């Protein structure tokens, strides 16, 4: 009995601390977009990486002015990467998100605030229980104005000594974003009983919501 308990605890521990999904066949869901691709064209885009994209997508989707968030891969050089390649550290990409937002409602600067306020930017190649360069912190910029906003915010955090360790976030020019597979989109919403979602994603989302209640959509869960 003791051996069985040890094995079960080991299995539960792995599923709890791993940002790894089940097989594609076990995770099939009908993808229903809240905003059509044509409608999305009228909005601005921003790109961030801060650990498991299941968590990051859920956080940004809870923010007012954000119309859609897509999980995917960016920051590397390989073309058309797959989850198996990125998730297991076989590329130079990081798990990232593409944020569609209405600049009339929320600014890029506020999105940067959300980014830094929802993860630990001092842990190099790691976020929470997830280790590896694929989980590194990256703030992407599309122009000099966005680059200045990011760097100014980092300077502000450092000046105010918000963190006891140096910020390791990469500030990189945006080049390309690859959508993740369909079964990764809205993963937190579609897989509420997943052990990683319950033990890592949801607590991270709740911490962010408690920290920035003024930024949340009315219907945020």
């Amino acid at each position: 009995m003791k051996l069985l308990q040890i094995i079960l605890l080991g299995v539960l521990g792995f599923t709890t601390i791993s940002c790894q999904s089940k097989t594609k066949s076990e995770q099939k869901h009908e993808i229903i977009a809240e905003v059509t691709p044509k409608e999305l064209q009228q909005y601005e885009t921003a790109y961030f990486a801060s650990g498991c994209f299941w968590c990051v997508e859920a956080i940004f989707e809870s923010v007012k002015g954000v119309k859609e968030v897509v999980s995917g891969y960016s920051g590397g050089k390989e073309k058309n990467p797959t989850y198996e390649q990125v998730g297991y550290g076989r590329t130079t990409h990081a798990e990232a998100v593409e944020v569609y937002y209405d600049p009339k409602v929320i600014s890029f600067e506020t999105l940067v605030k959300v980014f830094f306020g929802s993860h630990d930017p001092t842990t190099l190649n790691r976020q929470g229980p997830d280790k590896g360069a694929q989980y590194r912190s990256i703030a992407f910029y599309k122009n000099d104005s966005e680059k200045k906003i990011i760097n100014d915010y980092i300077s502000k955090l450092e000046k105010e000594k918000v963190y006891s360790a140096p910020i390791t976030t990469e500030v990189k020019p945006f080049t390309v974003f690859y959508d993740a597979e369909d079964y990764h989109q809205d993963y937190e919403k579609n897989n509420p009983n997943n052990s990683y979602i319950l033990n890592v994603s949801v607590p991270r989302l709740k911490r962010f919501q408690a920290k920035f209640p003024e930024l949340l959509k009315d219907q945020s869960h």
Side-chain angles (χ1 to χ4, degrees):
M1 179 61 72
K2 288 185 177 180
L3 178 60
L4 178 59
Q5 289 176 331
I6 292 172
I7 293 173
L8 287 174
L9 286 172
V11 171
L12 288 172
F14 175 79
T15 55
T16 296
I17 63 172
S18 175
C19 180
Q20 300 292 337
S21 70
K22 298 178 181 178
T23 63
K24 296 178 183 179
S25 61
E26 291 176 305
Q27 296 296 343
K28 286 183 178 178
H29 292 279
E30 183 181 0
I31 306 300
I32 302 175
E34 295 180 3
V35 186
T36 67
K38 186 176 181 180
E39 290 174 326
L40 287 177
Q41 292 178 7
Q42 65 183 300
Y43 300 113
E44 293 291 335
T45 53
Y47 300 86
F48 302 99
S50 58
C52 178
F53 51 23
W54 299 340
C55 305
V56 186
E57 179 187 13
I59 287 168
F60 276 100
E61 285 197 334
S62 72
V63 176
K64 287 186 293 188
V66 172
K67 297 301 179 179
E68 184 65 85
V69 182
V70 180
S71 288
Y73 318 109
S74 194
K77 59 186 179 181
E78 296 82 6
K79 294 182 179 180
N80 303 310
T82 66
Y83 178 69
E84 285 72 20
Q85 293 171 331
V86 177
Y88 288 96
R90 297 169 187 159
T91 75
T92 54
H93 287 289
E95 291 192 8
V97 294
E98 179 179 45
V99 180
Y100 288 88
Y101 68 99
D102 185 347
K104 296 177 182 177
V105 180
I106 188 170
S107 65
F108 180 78
E109 185 174 9
T110 301
L111 291 176
V112 171
K113 178 180 178 181
V114 170
F115 167 71
F116 281 104
S118 60
H119 80 295
D120 183 351
T122 70
T123 51
L124 182 64
N125 295 334
R126 177 176 180 174
Q127 197 55 222
D130 299 308
K131 302 176 183 178
Q134 66 270 37
Y135 300 116
R136 67 192 186 275
S137 174
I138 312 175
F140 296 94
Y141 62 87
K142 296 189 297 181
N143 52 54
D144 290 341
S145 175
E146 291 184 351
K147 181 179 181 180
K148 185 178 187 303
I149 288 171
I150 296 167
N151 284 326
D152 285 352
Y153 199 80
I154 291 175
S155 296
K156 177 177 179 290
L157 293 173
E158 291 175 335
K159 183 178 180 180
E160 295 176 356
K161 297 184 178 354
V162 174
Y163 303 102
S164 58
I167 292 174
T168 61
T169 298
E170 296 178 11
V171 181
K172 300 185 65 170
F174 174 74
T175 54
V176 64
F177 178 86
Y178 297 98
D179 290 8
E181 296 79 352
D182 284 349
Y183 65 101
H184 284 297
Q185 310 304 331
D186 295 316
Y187 196 90
E188 184 260 353
K189 187 185 302 181
N190 289 329
N191 299 271
N193 297 317
N194 175 280
S195 58
Y196 183 94
I197 295 299
L198 288 171
N199 293 283
V200 180
S201 295
V202 171
R204 180 176 169 183
L205 174 63
K206 295 301 182 185
R207 286 195 298 272
F208 165 75
Q209 292 175 331
K211 192 174 181 181
F212 300 105
E214 72 280 5
L215 298 180
L216 303 179
K217 295 174 181 174
D218 293 338
Q219 70 272 27
S220 292
H221 64 287

